[in-house]
């Protein structure tokens, strides 16, 4: 979210109608002056002169009544004019919709509508062991097109992302075969806690055999079936707040 531009700030300040000056330059001063003038004019209409409307208790009560009526009339007119003015274009920005991490590695995402800040989360050896296991199990399940295993290891959004890729390959008559997955290096990028989830992003460098195979013949369409290729990706895992290490599920992937 960005703060308003200088032009917007100036427009907002100008629309208040506040001017520098003394007591009589304000709205109350103008109302009082208008009331005094109104009392004098009414006095003149009844033949008592400009100052005749101020004489006696009844005149004072009449003056107060006139000031009140003039004040209400002034508010009515100003309110009517404001309602007729068009709204300031571009002055509003609705940031109430919260956005969480999405497939493709969405980063921090939205945080509780902007009212809560992420809290740093400590990651231990048990968590790193699970991250390494998840790497191998997910790659194996993806190569075997095992959607049941993928749903158990990934969030529903990420599982649907895998399903879409598998379906796209199937339409071409191909299957993505993956094997010999080996983690070469893993580094924690960031870990944080939000009101509804814990998150951990890990940069993983790994090797694997990755090929596209024809479904009917088993012939390799692309990729090297012998020499492993090295890849680096950032995997983001999610779990319920305070969950166990085994609760981590893959929620997003970013290609490095």
């Amino acid at each position: 979210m960005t703060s308003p531009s200088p032009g917007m700030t100036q427009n907002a300040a100008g629309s208040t109608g506040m001017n520098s000056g003394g007591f009589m330059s304000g709205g109350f001063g103008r109302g009082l002056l208008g009331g005094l003038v109104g009392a004098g004019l009414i006095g003149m209409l009844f033949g008592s002169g400009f100052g005749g409307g101020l004489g006696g208790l009844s005149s004072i009560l009449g003056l107060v009544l006139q000031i009140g009526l003039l004040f209400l009339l002034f508010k009515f007119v100003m309110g009517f004019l404001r309602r007729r003015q068009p709204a300031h274009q571009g002055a509003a920005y609705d940031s109430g919709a919260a956005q969480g991490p999405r497939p493709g590695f969405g980063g921090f995402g939205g945080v509780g509508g902007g009212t809560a800040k992420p809290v740093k989360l400590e990651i231990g050896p048990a968590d790193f062991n699970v991250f390494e296991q998840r790497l191998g199990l997910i790659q194996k399940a993806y190569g075997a097109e095992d959607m049941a295993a993928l749903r158990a290891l990934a969030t529903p959004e990420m599982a649907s992302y895998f399903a879409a890729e598998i379906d796209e390959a199937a339409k071409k008559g191909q299957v993505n075969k993956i094997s010999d997955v080996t983690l070469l290096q893993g580094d924690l990028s960031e870990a944080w806690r939000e009101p509804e989830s814990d998150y951990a992003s890990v940069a993983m460098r790994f090797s694997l055999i990755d090929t596209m195979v024809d479904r009917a013949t088993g012939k390799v369409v692309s990729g090297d079936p012998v020499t492993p290729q090295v890849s680096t990706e950032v995997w983001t895992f999610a779990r319920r707040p305070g969950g166990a290490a085994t609760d981590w599920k893959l929620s997003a992937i970013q290609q490095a």
Side-chain angles (χ1 to χ4, degrees):
M1 186 191 307
T2 58
S3 57
S5 63
M8 291 173 61
T9 304
Q10 294 173 4
N11 290 335
S15 65
T16 59
M18 297 180 65
N19 301 311
S20 59
F23 177 78
M24 293 301 292
S25 66
F28 181 79
R30 288 194 295 268
L32 178 60
L33 179 61
L36 292 174
V37 173
L41 291 176
I42 291 177
M44 292 178 66
L45 290 174
F46 285 94
S48 54
F50 185 84
L54 302 179
L57 179 61
S58 60
S59 296
I60 294 176
L61 293 176
L63 172 61
V64 172
L65 179 60
Q66 294 169 35
I67 293 175
L69 292 175
L70 288 172
F71 177 74
L72 291 176
L73 179 61
F74 176 79
K75 286 189 64 177
F76 174 80
V77 173
M78 293 304 296
F80 177 79
L81 293 177
R82 288 194 186 100
R83 286 193 297 270
R84 290 179 62 87
Q85 293 178 354
H88 189 278
Q89 295 182 357
Y93 175 73
D94 184 7
S95 61
Q99 297 179 350
R102 291 171 283 182
F105 183 62
F108 273 89
V111 182
T115 59
K117 294 182 178 179
V119 178
K120 184 178 179 181
L121 185 65
E122 295 296 330
I123 298 298
D127 299 300
F128 286 110
N129 289 335
V130 170
F131 297 153
E132 182 176 359
Q133 293 172 5
R134 294 286 187 266
L135 172 66
L137 292 174
I138 290 174
Q139 295 282 15
K140 179 181 178 181
Y142 183 81
E145 299 184 338
D146 187 350
M147 286 306 305
L150 289 173
R151 292 188 183 96
L153 297 169
T155 62
E157 294 81 9
M158 199 65 199
S160 64
Y161 178 79
F162 287 142
E165 287 194 334
I166 292 174
D167 290 342
E168 185 65 24
K171 292 177 181 178
K172 298 177 181 179
Q174 300 174 357
V175 58
N176 191 185
K177 291 295 184 180
I178 298 175
S179 61
D180 298 338
V181 180
T182 303
L183 179 65
L184 303 177
Q185 181 180 354
D187 296 302
L188 180 67
S189 177
E190 54 188 351
W192 69 98
R193 172 169 293 169
E194 297 185 9
E196 297 182 357
S197 297
D198 290 347
Y199 295 100
S201 292
V202 185
M204 293 190 286
R205 182 170 173 266
F206 54 92
S207 64
L208 77 168
I209 301 293
D210 185 3
T211 58
M212 294 298 295
V213 178
D214 185 89
R215 286 178 178 270
T217 64
K219 182 180 178 181
V220 175
V221 178
S222 63
D224 191 336
V226 178
T227 305
Q229 68 179 60
V230 178
S231 179
T232 301
E233 297 176 342
V234 179
W235 286 33
T236 298
F237 298 90
R239 71 180 180 187
R240 58 182 176 82
T246 54
D247 293 333
W248 288 112
K249 290 188 175 185
L250 178 65
S251 66
I253 294 177
Q254 180 186 28
Q255 299 288 338

